[in-house]
Amino acid sequence: MKELKGKTAIITGGSRGIGRACCSAFASAGANVVFTYNKSKKEAEELSKEIEAQGVRCLALQSDVKDYEQCKKVVATAYEKFSDVDILVNNAGIVRDKALMMMLPEDWKEVIDTNLGGTFNMTRAIITNFLKVKKGCIINMSSVSGLVGIPRQTNYSAAKAGIIGFSKALAKEVAAYNVRVNAVCPGYIETDMVKSLREDVKQEIVKYIPAKKIGKPEEVAQLCVFLASDKAPYMTGNAIRIDGGLAT
Ligand code: NDP
């Protein structure tokens, strides 16, 4: 049973990591996929072919989530090509980890504008369409960093906590229109973002994870498929941890 058959999803930051796993999982579940990337053109082209090989339609668009006009264009193009969109996954995100005393205003701005600003830009660009047809599902990629705060991540923790507040407020605003909004809060997941950590740092982190391992992008993607499916019609306004027990 393909739980997203006939649906269309827009996924930001689909070229790598969790976003890429979401694109593959959504396609496996039968959804057409529109995904954005910023710099990774080659990876995006490869992924497009992989997705189409699964028998669904795919559109890869270069777009910077920091730019509202570009986000509006992504949404307009998606509706033009697919006539309907059911799901938005705001996944694109970056880190610029530094102790606050070393953090430059541009480190702050880049992280807030990409993670939190990008979530606003894409959601603002699509929300009227969802409200008009009284259906839609929005999944915002937050982090345990936004729940508990992580040192050297004041910019990232602030952005990810902001995404949780944004998701909860919007969920209440649009629930009566059959539009659901949830935040997903992964712990440490094996993507480029975590691979770049020093091996000894990773081993130290694993000691503090009750499950004693780092998660996989596919595991986060499966949670997103579930949230986007008709199996979760009463779920909205949540911040769902997927972290091996880390932030329990
Ligand atoms: P990666 O660094 O592996 O991938 C990031 C993705 O975001 C890439 O596809 C990248 O595109 C895209 N992206 C970055 N900046 C922009 C931008 N300005 N506009 C459009 N796309 C952009 O990250 P992860 O897969 O690890 O992270 C995905 C999400 O999950 C993020 O929001 C992250 O904060 C969150 N998260 C990750 C965790 C982890 O442990 N990995 C833990 C908790 C949350 P391109 O390559 O084309 O530049």
Side-chain angles (χ1 to χ4, degrees), residues 58-125:
C58 177
L59 185 63
L61 300 169
Q62 194 285 324
S63 171
D64 184 343
V65 287
K66 297 195 294 303
D67 185 323
Y68 181 50
E69 292 306 316
Q70 291 186 32
C71 291
K72 282 204 296 191
K73 210 165 154 203
V74 168
V75 170
T77 310
Y79 276 92
E80 210 177 282
K81 304 269 182 205
F82 291 88
S83 76
D84 202 11
V85 177
D86 305 274
I87 304 150
L88 168 66
V89 183
N90 284 310
N91 163 77
I94 57 161
V95 285
R96 293 277 182 279
D97 295 357
K98 270 174 204 167
L100 187 67
M101 63 181 286
M102 304 301 288
M103 195 176 283
L104 302 171
E106 46 269 39
D107 298 321
W108 173 265
K109 191 168 164 27
E110 189 78 5
V111 167
I112 298 290
D113 289 357
T114 304
N115 293 277
L116 184 56
T119 299
F120 166 81
N121 288 339
M122 286 299 296
T123 309
R124 177 67 185 84

Side-chain angles (χ1 to χ4, degrees), residues 13 15-16 18 38-40 64-65 91 156 160 187 189 191:
S15 43
R16 294 185 289 114
I18 294 171
N38 192 26
K39 297 180 183 150
S40 307
D64 184 343
V65 287
N91 163 77
Y156 187 73
K160 294 305 194 185
I189 306 296
T191 68

